[in-house]
Amino acid sequence: MADITGIPMEAAWMSNIWRQCEAAGVAFFFKQWGGRRDKGGCLIDGIELKQFPAAA
């Protein structure tokens, strides 16, 4: 059974992944910080990132 407490996400790690996607031209969709109890919002560096890939 999975641990329901989860693994904390570091803001620097998420910013790094976003910048890598941006450099590679890959869409990046960030759903939210937190989990079931603490929603925490969905901003990274003050920006809401909800990108979708271009339609084929």
Side-chain angles (χ1 to χ4, degrees):
M1 186 159 122
D3 180 358
I4 62 168
T5 61
I7 299 170
M9 187 182 321
E10 297 290 328
W13 180 80
M14 187 54 58
S15 292
N16 187 354
I17 297 295
W18 166 41
R19 294 191 200 312
Q20 288 180 52
C21 289
E22 190 173 47
V26 174
F28 182 84
F29 186 97
F30 183 68
K31 185 176 178 182
Q32 71 184 37
W33 294 103
R36 290 186 278 191
R37 285 175 234 133
D38 175 25
K39 297 301 178 199
C42 58
L43 300 178
I44 298 175
D45 296 337
I47 302 168
E48 183 177 81
L49 296 166
K50 296 195 188 247
Q51 304 168 342
F52 293 90

